[in-house]
Amino acid sequence: MTEKYTLIPNTDLSVSTINLGGNVFGWTSDEPTSFDVLDGFVAGGGTFIDSSASYTGPVGGLSETIIGNWTAARGNRDKVVIATKVGAQPGRKNLEPANIAATVDESLTRLQTDYIDLYYAHFDDDYTPIEDIAAAFDATVKSGKVRYIAMSNLSPARQRDWMLTAKREGLAAPVAIQPQYSLVYRHEYEGPAETPKAGYRSVAEEFDLAVFSYWSLAAGLLTGKYSTAADFENAPRAHSLKKYGTPEGLKLVGTLREVADGLGAQPASVAIAWLLAKGITAPIASARTPEQLPALFAAQDLDLPAEAVARLDEASQPFA
């Protein structure tokens, strides 16, 4: 059984070990449904919500707007930990200091709040020096607009450079990373640091960083509802799922369902529990409807036997 709350290292932020993904708000979930999901998440003990200025719509921002409307309507801003990101908004895909300064203000307005608990660099660019990025994020903390900062999708080398720069210059240092990691996407997180684009676990261990995995359920693949390549054709995220319609992918899903059946659990619960067993601080998972939430919370109560972890490790080896 996993603890249901954890303290992010080097912070005073206590978060639920299930991190609710806000990428569906304003996309596959309209505002009333998103409110129902958020209400259900909090009612189930969840406290940690993930968003981005790039979610959703043609210019981004809808997810933050919905979350802001919800906290304003419920009067519960101080009861939840909100993470959001800069650097992937359409037309503004960069980490230039001016973009960071402008975007944090826009996110605060949409979220209807005076502060962001955790602010990520969402994606890197090819030209902004890490020293400038680190200084710009430090400025958001010094201004009181952001409590803590984090990194997502920067290469392990750039993440390490940021950590060392922050220490050398006395700047606010990131406290977490958000890598893509799941049973069907293991190589970047688990791979050795000397492998190109791999080594995220090494960075987290070296600098005592929290890890919040994204695409933890691989766009719904690991819910177990897709058993043949044809099933992917009309899926809500067909463009993301088709690449898994391989013999290896389908075999993994079959093994996941068998393990889940043996434990009397749902495949989604097992897939999240596997991440928790691997030491992930709080896997990010989305729910389009409130009915999808119980499977996420059930992962916290699921103590995967060592043989189940080993079986899933073996089945997902093609993705390691």
Side-chain angles (χ1 to χ4, degrees), residues 153 179-191 197 200 213-216 218 221-222 243-244 252 274-275 316 318-320:
N153 295 307
Q180 183 176 350
Y181 186 45
S182 72
L183 280 164
V184 292
Y185 201 91
R186 294 175 53 185
H187 58 289
E188 287 188 356
Y189 182 69
E190 296 179 359
K197 296 185 178 180
Y200 287 102
S213 56
Y214 74 84
W215 278 37
S216 302
L221 174 77
L222 301 177
K243 61 187 174 185
Y244 300 122
L252 169 61
W274 180 84
L275 288 167
S316 63
F319 308 98

Side-chain angles (χ1 to χ4, degrees), residues 92 97-107 119:
R92 298 165 66 177
N99 189 40
I100 293 168
T103 302
V104 72
D105 285 340
E106 293 165 359
S107 291
Y119 199 46

Side-chain angles (χ1 to χ4, degrees), residues 31-279:
E31 184 160 319
T33 304
S34 299
F35 273 36
D36 290 342
V37 169
L38 287 160
D39 287 340
F41 182 64
V42 171
T47 63
F48 195 13
I49 302 165
D50 182 83
S51 189
S52 171
S54 66
Y55 305 155
T56 48
V59 296
L62 284 178
S63 173
E64 291 179 333
T65 297
I66 289 172
I67 293 167
N69 289 344
W70 174 74
T71 56
R74 303 296 184 258
N76 64 353
R77 173 65 186 93
D78 61 337
K79 301 295 193 298
V80 292
V81 174
I82 296 176
T84 194
K85 312 179 192 75
V86 58
Q89 205 169 358
R92 298 165 66 177
K93 296 181 179 181
N94 66 77
L95 293 178
E96 295 175 0
N99 189 40
I100 293 168
T103 302
V104 72
D105 285 340
E106 293 165 359
S107 291
L108 288 168
T109 298
R110 288 189 291 260
L111 289 165
Q112 301 183 52
T113 185
D114 295 327
Y115 64 94
I116 293 165
D117 295 294
L118 190 63
Y119 199 46
Y120 286 92
H122 198 167
F123 283 92
D124 207 350
D125 60 37
D126 295 327
Y127 49 86
T128 306
I130 204 71
E131 292 80 6
D132 293 350
I133 297 171
F137 271 83
D138 178 73
T140 68
V141 174
K142 284 188 168 60
S143 68
K145 297 174 182 179
V146 168
R147 295 183 67 189
Y148 299 100
I149 60 176
M151 304 175 286
S152 177
N153 295 307
L154 279 70
S155 70
R158 286 273 276 181
Q159 291 187 349
R160 185 172 285 106
D161 286 348
W162 189 339
M163 297 302 298
L164 295 175
T165 297
K167 181 177 181 180
R168 183 179 67 248
E169 303 296 333
L171 305 175
V175 299
I177 61 172
Q178 188 179 125
Q180 183 176 350
Y181 186 45
S182 72
L183 280 164
V184 292
Y185 201 91
R186 294 175 53 185
H187 58 289
E188 287 188 356
Y189 182 69
E190 296 179 359
E194 58 271 18
T195 304
K197 296 185 178 180
Y200 287 102
R201 180 166 59 189
S202 298
V203 173
E205 292 174 348
E206 180 179 356
F207 297 102
D208 190 25
L209 302 175
V211 182
F212 307 120
S213 56
Y214 74 84
W215 278 37
S216 302
L217 293 175
L221 174 77
L222 301 177
T223 62
K225 59 185 177 182
Y226 306 105
S227 57
T228 69
D231 292 338
F232 299 147
E233 294 300 324
N234 297 315
R237 299 185 188 178
H239 65 289
S240 300
L241 285 166
K242 285 182 180 179
K243 61 187 174 185
Y244 300 122
T246 63
E248 294 81 8
L250 295 174
K251 181 180 179 182
L252 169 61
V253 173
T255 300
L256 177 62
R257 279 202 300 266
E258 290 173 6
V259 171
D261 288 346
L263 296 171
Q266 294 188 44
S269 305
V270 174
I272 296 294
W274 180 84
L275 288 167
L276 291 168
K278 294 296 181 179

